[in-house]
Amino acid sequence: MSDLDQAIRQQRTTRATVTLTHNGSPLAQQEVVVQQQKHRFLFGSNWGESSIALANGELAGKEKEQAERRNERFLQLFNQVTLPFYWGRFEPQRGQPQTQRILNTARWYRDHQCVSKGHPLCWHTLTADWLLPLSKREILQAQIARIQRDVADFASLIEMWDVVNEAVIMPIFDRYDNGITRICQELGRIELIRTMFETARAANPKATLLLNDFDVSPAYDILVEGCLAAGIPIDVIGIQSHMHQGYWGVERTQVVLDQFARFKRPIHFTENTIVSGHLMPPEIVDLNDYQVSDWPSTPEGEERQAREVVLHYKTLMAHPLVEAITWWDLSDGGWLNAPAGLLRKDHSPKPAYDELLKLIKGEWWLAPTKMTTDANGQLTFTGFLGEYELSLGKQKTTFALAEKGQSQVAVNL
Amino acid sequence: MSDLDQAIRQQRTTRATVTLTHNGSPLAQQEVVVQQQKHRFLFGSNWGESSIALANGELAGKEKEQAERRNERFLQLFNQVTLPFYWGRFEPQRGQPQTQRILNTARWYRDHQCVSKGHPLCWHTLTADWLLPLSKREILQAQIARIQRDVADFASLIEMWDVVNEAVIMPIFDRYDNGITRICQELGRIELIRTMFETARAANPKATLLLNDFDVSPAYDILVEGCLAAGIPIDVIGIQSHMHQGYWGVERTQVVLDQFARFKRPIHFTENTIVSGHLMPPEIVDLNDYQVSDWPSTPEGEERQAREVVLHYKTLMAHPLVEAITWWDLSDGGWLNAPAGLLRKDHSPKPAYDELLKLIKGEWWLAPTKMTTDANGQLTFTGFLGEYELSLGKQKTTFALAEKGQSQVAVNL
């Protein structure tokens, strides 16, 4: 077993002792079936346009079949989805947000046991054009009102938010004028982040709030430190890793993890991309500048992608502070038309998908397993943290394993 | 007049109305001589080994003559000096600091109307080797005690300190193990800065305290923002500009100024270098890696340096928040053996020295000037902010011009 595999066992599994009783008496020598139902770790991906359309009953025929196939593949692997709240698309005309359409989508994911995250509440890219004629004060008020409205509207369906996205570059972003860069210049990064986090926190005190960035230089590290020193309630540090220009490798990923681990806060790898075609040239600085009509997935690329995806997920799973990995995008042809999918354009699985499935629902998963309780009504097994179902004949019950190392669970049937 | 020259006039001069009285009566129609004695702006350079030795009576013969020549050139141009407090050199053996030697030096500069700054109180480079066997807790205690001791020992002679130097790279500096990187990793940058600033502030509440860095990327910008948001009492933002690899140019310098101007705090350009020889190759990342036995000053290089030095000083003087410019080093053969001096190795002036002198003690200076008071005993002139002497016959008095724009001064003779 590799060092990574050992660390994963250490960080992610528990030795569970389950005591079965009936009316207070131990159920000794009983044969039961135990199976995992859910990972505690969040394995996710971002929405697909087709999954939103499907959840809103907008598809029929072949399109509907394709979207259903995509959803099946999604649910086979994942328990988390990132849903789009890009302001310019979410509310293209002021006062007419597409709340209902995303509510329907979030409900579909909830009904399929997926945790939804909203992305993002405040970002300078894809923000609303109608901010441009407003004063800075009005833009700030609109941004605050937007957070209040959307976080409240989605409470209970979405309790996890990328509150501020890419704040390191936000005030110095100079590709085009936009309302959010303007208010970030005015407030400074930390005061902008404070305002947005406090607004989101007030709108839903239970929500998990992330700061998210693609910058993994000391600038982001220092920004997180500055926010925490200023008392801003950041729950989770979000790190993007769009590796269109090549997989980081284990060592670099661990350096990044170590850099942010010192804050002793949960880390989410929020946007993970590894392509199965040619790499984007290294001289591209803003990934959005690489516009190609065709970026094919190749057999060699798919094999390489599969190896790298396995290493990437293992590296992150081995680190105790990482709590979520979100793939970006599930199928080819998404952002930048990159062959970044775990599925091809027709939603057929690439090797990376199959390998991830072997881990997430294989090596890191407890399939239905027969066990027999001892004289004290106890059974013992090692499992990954998450939710489990126990069946005794026709009786079923569920329990959670939430603490790594050792767990004691009492089940009354 | 160029835009820079106009901005300099606007930011640095005042239209002074001086009213002369004797026992309450206006001294009308009197011919007086007014001359500038000192700039309010700090024009400085770092110490020279020879100036320290000379102040301590350690030199004789030709060496003494050379050191005196250097001092003359220094005082002709400058009113600020940066004195060395590199811990490993200042206190090579624990408990035996060379306090007296630097006290003598600081007194010499004070006696010659120069403001001394201590550099630095906390830095991972050139720090004391005897920290290495200590625990992190002991290193931190030693660092705090060092600041308490030195800031107190030099109070009244040194009231300006580079408190923390190069904090952006401090915790990730990996060239060699050192005690300060260790405690910075432990505390984080902001807590380390807070500790050092609060210690220095307590040791001398009147002192002007700087954070200083060569990093002018968003990382430093964000660090300053984080420190201020955390309530750390940073008086001045220090920016190094060692341009061994080429002059930044006006535009880049202005971008850097704008980046830090948003904090609305004074800015010191603490370490300015422009060479008069070949440029250091651009691929060098840590300037200390460029080790050459010979790095000659050339005639063409000296002409280029003079043009660039003038532009650099004008660009900084034109920005209202800049309050100090410290040249690094005055004579060739200092740090990195670079031809970075305004003087050559023999302390003869290069064109850059002459051009600076023409500005600092010429264009930006009031030489002794005859003026006549009007019927109300008033005279009016435009001068750079600073201290002035007024002579009426054998009577002399001094006054300060401290506010740009318009100044009213009452002088009783």
Side-chain angles (χ1 to χ4, degrees):
Chain A
M1 196 186 275
S2 77
D3 288 353
L4 288 177
D5 290 326
Q6 277 186 330
I8 291 167
R9 292 267 148 192
Q10 200 184 343
Q11 299 302 337
R12 305 295 172 185
T13 69
T14 191
R15 184 75 185 155
T17 303
V18 184
T19 306
L20 270 69
T21 54
H22 178 70
N23 292 337
S25 305
L27 286 166
Q29 309 298 344
Q30 298 287 320
E31 188 172 89
V32 299
V33 175
V34 179
Q35 61 179 305
Q36 193 168 353
Q37 290 193 311
K38 209 169 179 176
H39 272 292
R40 180 182 172 83
F41 194 94
L42 296 178
F43 295 103
S45 184
N46 55 326
W47 77 97
E49 290 307 325
S50 70
S51 61
I52 295 174
L54 188 63
N56 284 276
E58 296 163 3
L59 301 182
K62 185 135 191 271
E63 278 190 333
K64 188 178 177 198
E65 274 170 40
Q66 284 279 23
E68 284 170 344
R69 182 190 300 186
R70 183 188 179 282
N71 276 354
E72 275 170 40
R73 301 288 190 201
F74 186 101
L75 295 175
Q76 206 174 2
L77 203 53
F78 294 136
N79 60 357
Q80 183 268 330
V81 67
T82 296
L83 294 177
F85 283 80
Y86 303 114
W87 201 357
R89 293 177 185 168
F90 186 80
E91 191 178 2
Q93 288 191 284
R94 190 169 192 180
Q96 296 176 31
Q98 55 163 311
T99 307
Q100 197 53 54
R101 202 156 175 269
I102 303 297
L103 274 175
N104 292 339
T105 311
R107 264 190 218 106
W108 186 88
Y109 281 104
R110 182 201 56 193
D111 294 346
H112 292 84
Q113 283 75 53
C114 285
V115 171
S116 290
K117 185 181 71 171
H119 168 86
L121 290 170
C122 177
W123 190 31
H124 53 280
T125 302
L126 296 181
T127 194
D129 286 341
W130 49 261
L131 294 173
L132 287 168
L134 306 185
S135 72
K136 285 179 191 165
R137 188 189 168 86
E138 290 166 335
I139 294 170
L140 179 60
Q141 285 170 337
Q143 171 67 76
I144 289 171
R146 187 260 158 125
I147 293 178
Q148 290 169 330
R149 178 194 65 198
D150 295 340
V151 172
D153 283 351
F154 285 83
S156 86
L157 279 172
I158 299 185
E159 310 255 72
M160 185 180 286
W161 293 94
D162 288 334
V163 180
V164 178
N165 200 34
E166 304 181 359
V168 170
I169 204 177
M170 188 177 277
I172 51 174
F173 180 82
D174 59 2
R175 304 294 295 264
Y176 45 83
D177 184 20
N178 71 85
I180 305 308
T181 289
R182 288 191 213 158
I183 59 170
C184 192
Q185 286 170 346
E186 181 85 357
L187 294 176
R189 294 173 180 91
I190 292 177
E191 281 312 300
L192 178 126
I193 293 168
R194 186 202 299 280
T195 304
M196 303 315 153
F197 270 75
E198 289 181 352
T199 302
R201 177 73 72 216
N204 184 353
K206 288 188 300 174
T208 299
L209 305 182
L210 288 88
L211 187 67
N212 192 45
D213 216 302
F214 70 87
D215 190 312
V216 291
S217 79
Y220 185 39
D221 175 10
I222 293 170
L223 180 61
V224 172
E225 187 172 332
C227 288
L228 296 178
I232 299 171
I234 295 171
D235 296 317
V236 173
I237 299 163
I239 296 171
Q240 302 177 18
S241 51
H242 291 296
M243 297 177 275
H244 297 78
Q245 293 169 312
Y247 170 50
W248 288 356
V250 173
E251 199 179 338
R252 181 176 168 206
T253 308
Q254 288 174 334
V255 167
V256 170
L257 285 167
D258 285 347
Q259 186 178 3
F260 293 95
R262 68 191 180 89
F263 300 114
K264 298 184 174 61
R265 307 236 158 182
I267 294 170
H268 288 187
F269 266 62
T270 53
E271 306 179 23
N272 296 269
T273 304
I274 295 174
V275 295
S276 68
H278 68 264
L279 300 183
M280 188 188 288
E283 63 270 19
I284 304 282
V285 174
D286 183 335
L287 303 188
N288 290 299
D289 288 344
Y290 190 67
Q291 298 282 348
V292 286
S293 58
D294 193 36
W295 191 348
S297 184
T298 63
E300 318 82 76
E302 292 187 359
E303 291 305 322
R304 185 194 64 221
Q305 182 199 40
R307 288 192 303 274
E308 293 171 346
V309 162
V310 166
L311 264 183
H312 187 57
Y313 274 70
K314 284 189 170 183
T315 306
L316 299 181
M317 280 288 278
H319 195 284
L321 287 173
V322 179
E323 296 189 351
I325 309 174
T326 305
W327 192 258
W328 205 276
D329 303 81
L330 176 57
S331 299
D332 281 358
W335 185 43
L336 301 175
N337 196 23
L342 302 171
L343 308 176
R344 303 187 189 93
K345 281 189 180 166
D346 64 359
H347 308 314
S348 64
K350 296 182 191 173
Y353 182 93
D354 295 331
E355 292 301 318
L356 263 190
L357 193 61
K358 281 188 217 163
L359 292 174
I360 295 172
K361 291 294 175 69
E363 196 176 321
W364 299 340
W365 185 257
L366 188 73
T369 305
K370 281 187 189 165
M371 305 183 192
T372 305
T373 59
D374 65 12
N376 300 316
Q378 290 190 327
L379 52 87
T380 314
F381 70 97
T382 297
F384 277 70
L385 302 184
E387 292 177 20
Y388 287 78
E389 183 188 80
L390 183 149
S391 320
L392 173 60
K394 298 210 164 172
Q395 293 186 79
K396 288 182 196 298
T397 188
T398 59
F399 60 90
L401 299 181
E403 291 292 327
K404 71 181 180 188
Q406 302 274 345
S407 303
Q408 306 292 330
V409 179
V411 169
N412 190 33
L413 278 167
Chain B
M1 194 184 276
S2 78
D3 288 352
L4 288 178
D5 290 326
Q6 277 187 329
I8 291 167
R9 292 266 148 195
Q10 197 182 344
Q11 300 303 336
R12 305 294 172 185
T13 68
T14 192
R15 184 76 185 155
T17 304
V18 184
T19 307
L20 269 70
T21 53
H22 178 68
N23 292 337
S25 304
L27 286 166
Q29 310 296 346
Q30 299 288 319
E31 189 173 89
V32 298
V33 175
V34 179
Q35 61 180 305
Q36 192 167 351
Q37 289 193 312
K38 208 169 178 176
H39 271 292
R40 180 181 172 82
F41 193 93
L42 297 177
F43 295 102
S45 185
N46 54 326
W47 78 98
E49 290 308 324
S50 69
S51 61
I52 296 174
L54 187 64
N56 283 276
E58 296 163 3
L59 300 184
K62 184 137 191 272
E63 278 189 334
K64 189 178 177 198
E65 275 170 38
Q66 283 279 23
E68 284 170 344
R69 181 190 302 184
R70 182 188 179 283
N71 277 355
E72 275 170 40
R73 299 287 190 202
F74 187 102
L75 296 175
Q76 205 174 3
L77 204 53
F78 295 135
N79 59 357
Q80 183 268 329
V81 68
T82 296
L83 293 177
F85 283 80
Y86 303 115
W87 201 358
R89 294 178 185 166
F90 186 79
E91 190 178 4
Q93 288 192 285
R94 191 169 190 179
Q96 295 176 34
Q98 55 163 314
T99 306
Q100 198 52 54
R101 202 158 176 269
I102 303 297
L103 274 176
N104 292 339
T105 311
R107 267 192 215 103
W108 186 89
Y109 282 104
R110 183 202 53 195
D111 293 345
H112 292 82
Q113 284 75 53
C114 285
V115 171
S116 289
K117 185 180 71 172
H119 168 85
L121 290 170
C122 178
W123 190 31
H124 54 279
T125 302
L126 297 180
T127 192
D129 286 342
W130 50 260
L131 295 172
L132 288 168
L134 306 185
S135 71
K136 285 179 191 165
R137 188 191 170 85
E138 290 165 334
I139 295 170
L140 179 60
Q141 286 169 338
Q143 171 67 76
I144 289 171
R146 185 260 158 123
I147 293 178
Q148 290 169 331
R149 178 194 64 197
D150 295 341
V151 172
D153 283 351
F154 285 83
S156 87
L157 279 172
I158 299 185
E159 309 254 72
M160 186 180 285
W161 292 94
D162 287 334
V163 180
V164 178
N165 200 34
E166 304 182 359
V168 170
I169 204 177
M170 188 178 275
I172 51 174
F173 180 81
D174 60 1
R175 303 294 294 264
Y176 45 83
D177 186 19
N178 71 86
I180 305 308
T181 288
R182 287 191 213 157
I183 60 170
C184 191
Q185 286 169 347
E186 181 84 357
L187 293 176
R189 295 173 179 90
I190 291 176
E191 280 312 300
L192 177 126
I193 293 168
R194 186 202 299 280
T195 304
M196 304 315 153
F197 270 75
E198 289 181 352
T199 302
R201 177 71 71 219
N204 183 353
K206 287 188 298 174
T208 299
L209 305 182
L210 288 87
L211 187 66
N212 192 43
D213 215 302
F214 70 87
D215 189 312
V216 290
S217 78
Y220 185 39
D221 175 10
I222 293 170
L223 180 61
V224 172
E225 186 172 334
C227 288
L228 296 178
I232 299 172
I234 296 171
D235 296 316
V236 172
I237 299 164
I239 295 171
Q240 302 176 20
S241 51
H242 290 295
M243 297 177 275
H244 297 78
Q245 294 169 311
Y247 170 50
W248 288 356
V250 174
E251 199 179 337
R252 182 175 167 205
T253 308
Q254 288 175 333
V255 167
V256 170
L257 285 167
D258 285 346
Q259 187 178 3
F260 292 95
R262 67 190 180 89
F263 300 115
K264 299 184 174 60
R265 307 235 158 184
I267 294 170
H268 288 189
F269 266 61
T270 54
E271 306 178 24
N272 296 270
T273 305
I274 294 173
V275 296
S276 67
H278 69 262
L279 300 183
M280 188 187 289
E283 63 270 20
I284 303 283
V285 175
D286 184 335
L287 303 187
N288 290 297
D289 289 343
Y290 191 66
Q291 298 283 345
V292 285
S293 56
D294 192 36
W295 191 349
S297 184
T298 64
E300 317 83 76
E302 292 187 0
E303 292 304 323
R304 185 194 63 220
Q305 183 200 38
R307 287 192 304 273
E308 293 171 346
V309 162
V310 166
L311 263 184
H312 187 57
Y313 274 70
K314 284 190 171 182
T315 306
L316 298 181
M317 280 288 279
H319 195 283
L321 287 173
V322 178
E323 296 188 352
I325 308 174
T326 306
W327 191 259
W328 206 276
D329 304 82
L330 176 57
S331 299
D332 280 357
W335 184 44
L336 302 174
N337 196 23
L342 302 171
L343 308 177
R344 303 188 188 93
K345 281 189 181 166
D346 64 0
H347 309 314
S348 65
K350 295 183 191 172
Y353 182 92
D354 295 332
E355 290 302 318
L356 263 190
L357 194 60
K358 281 188 214 162
L359 291 175
I360 296 173
K361 292 291 175 71
E363 195 176 321
W364 300 339
W365 186 257
L366 188 73
T369 304
K370 282 188 188 163
M371 305 183 191
T372 306
T373 58
D374 64 13
N376 302 317
Q378 292 190 327
L379 51 87
T380 313
F381 70 97
T382 298
F384 277 70
L385 302 184
E387 292 176 21
Y388 288 78
E389 184 188 80
L390 183 147
S391 319
L392 172 60
K394 297 207 163 173
Q395 294 185 82
K396 288 182 195 299
T397 188
T398 59
F399 61 89
L401 298 181
E403 291 292 325
K404 70 181 181 188
Q406 302 274 347
S407 302
Q408 305 293 330
V409 179
V411 169
N412 192 35
L413 278 166

